[in-house]
Amino acid sequence: MKLSTSTKALLIATAAIVLLFVLGDRFGMRSNTKDPREFVIELDTAAVITIRFEDHADPRNALQLVRKGTAWERMAQRADSLPATEQARALLAQFQRVPVKRDMGMILLLGERYQLTDSTLCRITFADLDGGERALNLGSSTFAPGKVGSWTYVNVPGEKEVYAVEGLLVGDLRAEHRVDRSGGLAA
């Protein structure tokens, strides 16, 4: 059986395309697609035994809360308006499930703009009984018009995406936001 020139060219082109797909699959030349995140952090609050807050811009704001039975103890000495147990419960409630409201883009482009660089970000880490850790990098906050109110820009450590989530997540963890019991600003 004799094939025409156009049929031979079509068979060669088809074989070349199949070979390219096989080689691309074999050597990992696929794009890394993943499902969009619904939540930036989800916690089993009953299993959390340590809460650590680091402020890279001002290390004086560091905070560590450790669970001792049903109560919590503050390991860093700082002037906080809430007792350690109340503060831990408030943080666990706030960070139990933080839904993504908007994907803002990549950290390399937006890190500086949203204070998510190594020298400006805050990081909150929750450690559980099994030794697992869940962390979230917290950047700047802004206020959105309408019913939404405040937004915080966040990044999951080790990932490239920056997300906007509802709420003022840094809250009273930074000195400029903390107020002591007498109503003045805490140092």
Side-chain angles (χ1 to χ4, degrees):
M1 170 166 120
K2 201 163 198 173
L3 298 174
S4 69
T5 307
S6 61
T7 306
K8 287 180 188 177
L10 182 61
L11 288 173
I12 291 172
T14 303
I17 290 173
V18 169
L19 181 64
L20 286 174
F21 276 108
V22 169
L23 288 174
D25 186 53
R26 180 90 168 139
F27 293 106
M29 295 180 192
R30 291 180 176 228
S31 65
N32 293 334
T33 59
K34 61 181 183 177
D35 293 331
R37 275 187 171 273
E38 280 187 64
F39 300 95
V40 289
I41 193 167
E42 289 183 275
L43 300 172
D44 176 5
T45 58
V48 174
I49 57 170
T50 304
I51 302 171
R52 218 173 31 253
F53 176 75
E54 306 164 56
D55 184 347
H56 291 202
D58 188 354
R60 294 175 298 172
N61 291 326
L63 171 70
Q64 184 169 352
L65 299 167
V66 177
R67 186 187 308 232
K68 304 286 184 180
T70 59
W72 288 81
E73 290 182 15
R74 188 175 290 116
M75 296 313 204
Q77 295 300 318
R78 49 180 252 183
D80 280 291
S81 58
L82 292 174
T85 300
E86 287 180 43
Q87 186 175 27
R89 287 183 181 149
L91 288 170
L92 289 171
Q94 184 177 22
F95 287 94
Q96 182 177 8
R97 289 180 74 153
V98 180
V100 171
K101 289 299 178 182
R102 187 170 175 200
D103 185 343
M104 299 303 293
M106 297 301 192
I107 191 80
L108 292 176
L109 298 172
L110 301 171
E112 213 170 301
R113 176 188 225 179
Y114 296 131
Q115 296 179 358
L116 286 165
T117 63
D118 285 336
S119 61
T120 59
L121 64 80
C122 294
R123 178 174 291 146
I124 191 157
T125 307
F126 299 89
D128 61 30
L129 290 166
D130 300 327
E133 290 189 343
R134 300 255 185 212
L136 190 61
N137 294 333
L138 309 171
S140 62
S141 296
T142 189
F143 290 93
K147 293 191 276 185
V148 174
S150 60
W151 292 72
T152 301
Y153 299 103
V154 300
N155 166 259
V156 177
E159 293 187 11
K160 297 177 184 177
E161 294 83 7
V162 174
Y163 302 101
V165 299
E166 284 185 31
L168 185 63
L169 297 185
V170 175
D172 65 350
L173 293 169
R174 277 191 159 162
E176 64 262 21
H177 299 288
R178 281 199 310 268
V179 178
D180 67 18
R181 291 177 196 256
S182 64
L185 189 63

